[in-house]
Amino acid sequence: MPEQRTAIYPGSFDPLTLGHEDIARRSLKFVDRLMVAVAHYPTQEKARLFSVQERLEMLQECFADEPRIEVTDFSGLLVKFCDRVDVHLVVRGLRAVSDFEYEFQMALMNRELDPELEMVFMTPGVEYTFLSASLVREIASLGGDVSQFVSKPVLDRLQAKLAG
Ligand code: PNS
């Protein structure tokens, strides 16, 4: 059996948006398997809307239809996680020029830390270029309708979280 091409799609996913989902599903055009990896930031956990466990559950629900997507989490450096799981290809979404500087800096730094690592940048569908998890959080917390920006499992959890 030929070797499977695997990539990691890391992020905070607080919460997962349709833009993230679009990037993950598009990347399956060039990889056989994708690990969507929620990054732990113990020092920032209190600032998050959803716990890592809740984000993992949301991701699992949203990608339940796609056996080629595996949901996982990691703490510490991305390059160390990549090394541990022996995957050296990382996918990131690039929405607009404003994302570029941060992503470029992170890509070059990651390559400095691990010369074996390659990063691939994908643009989401144009309907998602203005979308961000932080805007979804803000709109939802102010009572706005985010149903066109997130999947049903995320919407349900947002409503439950913000009602409680
Ligand atoms: O969705 P985000 O918050 O933009 O994702 C950022 C993420 C998680 C990909 C990035 O912060 C990361 O890789 N964090 C792990 C810690 C690390 O490796 N930091 C050095 C980056 S050069």
Side-chain angles (χ1 to χ4, degrees):
M1 200 170 109
E3 201 187 324
Q4 287 210 323
R5 184 177 284 274
T6 306
I8 293 173
Y9 178 27
S12 305
F13 307 115
D14 185 35
L16 182 79
T17 67
L18 289 180
H20 295 129
E21 279 193 47
D22 186 51
I23 295 289
R25 292 179 194 278
R26 276 176 199 277
S27 70
L28 294 175
K29 291 179 184 170
F30 66 88
V31 295
D32 303 303
R33 205 172 130 246
L34 184 73
M35 296 170 77
V36 184
V38 179
H40 279 260
Y41 286 99
T43 53
Q44 291 174 21
E45 266 323 286
K46 284 208 178 89
R48 299 285 183 205
L49 182 58
F50 291 102
S51 69
V52 171
Q53 186 55 39
E54 287 170 325
R55 281 179 268 158
L56 285 170
E57 286 168 12
M58 265 189 281
L59 283 150
Q60 267 145 8
E61 288 159 11
C62 293
F63 293 123
D65 63 315
E66 183 44 82
R68 293 194 294 151
I69 292 182
E70 180 189 324
V71 173
T72 187
D73 61 309
F74 73 103
S75 52
L77 285 176
L78 176 63
V79 289
K80 287 197 178 168
F81 173 65
C82 292
D83 205 41
R84 184 153 50 83
V85 293
D86 199 20
V87 172
H88 303 277
L89 184 63
V90 170
V91 171
R92 289 283 290 170
L94 206 53
R95 287 163 303 188
V97 178
S98 50
D99 283 343
F100 180 77
E101 201 171 327
Y102 170 60
E103 294 297 335
F104 188 60
Q105 187 183 17
M106 207 158 54
L108 291 180
M109 181 55 91
N110 277 328
R111 186 184 287 159
E112 201 64 28
L113 296 172
D114 177 7
E116 291 298 301
L117 196 76
E118 290 300 339
M119 302 198 64
V120 173
F121 296 95
M122 301 198 64
T123 45
V126 71
E127 65 274 35
Y128 305 125
T129 47
F130 59 88
L131 189 52
S132 71
S134 57
L135 278 180
V136 166
R137 283 199 306 274
E138 183 174 324
I139 294 165
S141 66
L142 295 172
D145 177 13
V146 292
S147 57
Q148 72 270 44
F149 307 134
V150 297
S151 282
K152 177 89 170 52
V154 177
L155 188 65
D156 290 348
R157 281 173 183 267
L158 272 170
Q159 285 168 348
K161 171 80 67 181
L162 296 168

